[in-house]
Amino acid sequence: MNNTVHTSQVKPLKRAIALIDVNNFYVSCERVFNPLLIGKPVGVASNNDGCVVARSDELKALGVKMGEPVFKMKQLIKQFGIIILSSNYPLYADMSNRVMSILSMFSPDQEIYSIDESFLDLSAFQSRNLVEYCQQMRSRILKWVGLPVCVGVGSTKTLAKLANHCAKKRSQFKGVCNFNDMHTADLDALLNDISVSEIWGVGRKLAPRLEAMGYKTVLDLKRANSAAMRKQFSVVMQKTIHELNDIVCIELEEVTPPKKQILSSRSFGHPVTDYNSLAESITMYVSRAAEKLRKQKSFAGSIYVYIRTSPFRPDDPFYSNGMTIPMPSPTDDTRQLVNVALWGLKHIYKANFNYAKAGIMLSELVPSEGVQVDLFSNGQVTLKSDELMAAIDQINCKMGKGSIKLASEGFRKPWKMKQENKSPSYTTKWEDVPKAS
């Protein structure tokens, strides 16, 4: 008896890429530690409590749009008892890290795409029932962290994104949608019921143009001529169409590539007029950016500094200025970067203006290994600088941001952004850890 199996007769398995997404991430994080928020219309505001950047389903049902200015909602807040919270970035970052750590237990191939999204390659686990496997992910994250997640599985990242959309919006999938399990006809019928605007990379900007051309649903775009669409749009559109047809064009990035620029800026909670307050804010922004610079093992070759008044205050004179200053040699030393940034600030600062925002950007980033130093640099000083920066980063990591800082950053910070309704840092400050009574 001939037991030989001809490879041409074996249907190859599709890749299985999963996208895991936390539902209403900011709001869900707040509800984990304050269950009284469950079932109520809750929003999370942007910096300085300016606009709504996260909405519970109950808030969406009231017609509140993403980016809605909080000051315009006063009557609505009073009428429906809406709860607006300030952004609690330390809490959200910590909760995200916990979720990503759990997901890494389910596959060694992981790409952390954003604070609330992660891709996993589950191709090696297809001998299992992937829907059950993904339900285990959901159960573990809910049990260990308290956050609800949805999972979409497809043969490409674009299809995984769409599957996640279905898992989130269509109750019949119970939080997990696997496109790879569907027959072609069933999948096409589902894609024909999804607007083209839901495709990753299309969104609201390109959707009207595509719809005007007759591509109203995902299925319409899937069946489009990719070469012709590349000529009318770009290679990105061609790759999107390929991905909709099970052709992998966007690989998982298991190692996040180093950033080419690092930006740090904030709007002030109150108008700032004096140079010293601006210098304090610039020092803090440089310190935060330098920490990120060292984390990705890079040096900065130049720094851009800018300040501006508010364009929304017609009674105040408007002023905006910035300048780029090259470093004598690339560095990751906070002290050197701050000195150069403050030199730039002195040249662009003008008195008698109500400044609303300031920021910096580190550019011309190069790997720290093998960086070209200038002829007159002192190797011993460089070594001491590396040791000092490493010690500062370790202490601030262990004891909390800002435990050690430059004196020029100041202490009172009257310019810091508004966070009048910020919840406690439940997981990152000992004094804020919830106590059982």
Side-chain angles (χ1 to χ4, degrees), residues 376-387:
F376 304 101
S377 65
N378 187 321
Q380 187 66 27
V381 172
T382 302
L383 178 60
K384 290 182 178 180
S385 169
D386 293 343
E387 293 173 347

Side-chain angles (χ1 to χ4, degrees), residues 77 115 149 171 224 231 247 270 325 345 353 379 384 388 399:
I77 290 171
I115 194 170
V149 303
S171 59
K231 291 178 180 178
I247 302 170
H270 304 280
I325 312 104
L345 177 63
F353 283 97
K384 290 182 178 180
L388 176 61
M399 306 304 294

Side-chain angles (χ1 to χ4, degrees), residues 43-340:
V44 176
S46 61
N47 293 342
N48 292 307
D49 297 339
C51 303
V52 174
V53 294
R55 303 162 296 158
S56 67
D57 291 336
E58 296 82 2
L59 189 58
K60 294 175 185 177
L62 294 176
V64 175
K65 305 295 184 184
M66 182 68 82
E68 186 82 15
V70 174
F71 77 89
K72 290 185 177 181
M73 297 172 54
K74 289 182 178 179
Q75 186 59 39
L76 206 63
I77 290 171
K78 185 177 180 180
Q79 182 179 356
F80 294 100
I82 295 172
I83 300 168
I84 301 295
L85 300 171
S86 303
S87 296
N88 190 339
Y89 299 119
L91 174 65
Y92 307 149
D94 185 68
M95 295 293 277
S96 174
N97 291 337
R98 293 172 188 233
V99 170
M100 301 309 168
S101 178
I102 293 171
L103 290 176
S104 69
M105 301 175 185
F106 287 87
S107 174
D109 304 313
Q110 178 183 22
E111 175 190 339
I112 299 174
Y113 181 66
S114 66
I115 194 170
D116 62 343
E117 293 179 303
S118 181
F119 287 103
L120 294 181
D121 190 339
L122 301 181
S123 301
F125 300 88
Q126 295 192 81
S127 59
R128 304 173 180 233
N129 182 318
L130 283 187
V131 172
E132 291 182 1
Y133 192 57
C134 292
Q135 289 291 3
Q136 290 176 24
M137 287 184 209
R138 298 183 70 234
S139 297
R140 186 173 300 181
I141 292 170
L142 186 62
K143 183 177 180 180
W144 290 10
V145 187
L147 293 175
V149 303
C150 287
V151 186
V153 180
S155 58
T156 66
K157 291 172 78 172
T158 301
L159 286 171
K161 272 270 195 180
L162 285 168
N164 181 275
H165 169 77
C166 292
K168 190 182 299 183
K169 300 295 183 180
R170 300 176 184 242
S171 59
Q172 67 265 34
F173 293 112
K174 299 179 180 178
V176 176
C177 177
N178 184 1
F179 280 177
N180 288 358
D181 274 356
M182 296 183 184
H183 293 294
T184 302
D186 294 334
L187 178 57
D188 283 351
L190 180 59
L191 297 182
N192 196 42
D193 195 38
I194 303 174
S195 169
V196 72
S197 64
E198 297 296 342
I199 299 175
W200 188 28
V202 172
R204 296 178 181 177
K205 290 185 178 180
L206 286 178
R209 186 177 168 190
L210 288 169
E211 289 170 355
M213 296 169 64
Y215 302 105
K216 297 182 179 180
T217 70
V218 176
L219 183 63
D220 292 335
L221 192 61
K222 177 183 176 182
R223 291 174 173 172
N225 184 307
S226 63
M229 294 297 279
R230 174 175 179 167
K231 291 178 180 178
Q232 294 188 60
F233 291 88
S234 67
V235 68
V236 175
M237 181 62 73
Q238 184 181 39
K239 288 182 177 180
T240 297
I241 295 171
H242 285 329
E243 291 242 324
L244 292 175
N245 287 278
D246 300 318
I247 302 170
V248 177
C249 297
I250 309 172
E251 294 288 350
L252 254 66
E253 294 182 351
E254 296 177 35
V255 178
T256 304
K259 294 180 180 179
K260 296 180 180 179
Q261 296 175 323
I262 298 177
L263 174 69
S264 182
S265 67
R266 290 284 188 278
S267 295
F268 301 134
H270 304 280
V272 171
T273 57
D274 62 296
Y275 170 82
N276 288 337
S277 293
L278 285 174
E280 288 180 1
S281 68
I282 291 294
T283 300
M284 189 186 80
Y285 303 151
V286 173
S287 299
R288 299 290 182 268
E291 185 179 331
K292 295 177 182 178
L293 185 71
R294 292 189 290 272
K295 191 173 183 179
Q296 72 171 36
K297 300 186 186 311
S298 296
F299 279 10
S302 67
I303 184 168
Y304 173 73
V305 183
Y306 75 92
I307 52 177
R308 70 163 174 80
T309 60
S310 174
F312 306 109
R313 297 189 178 205
D315 295 335
D316 286 351
F318 182 75
Y319 175 69
S320 177
N321 202 356
M323 70 181 300
T324 300
I325 312 104
M327 302 298 297
S329 61
T331 183
D332 65 355
D333 190 309
T334 300
R335 299 167 300 172
Q336 295 179 36
L337 292 166
V338 167
N339 286 338
V340 171

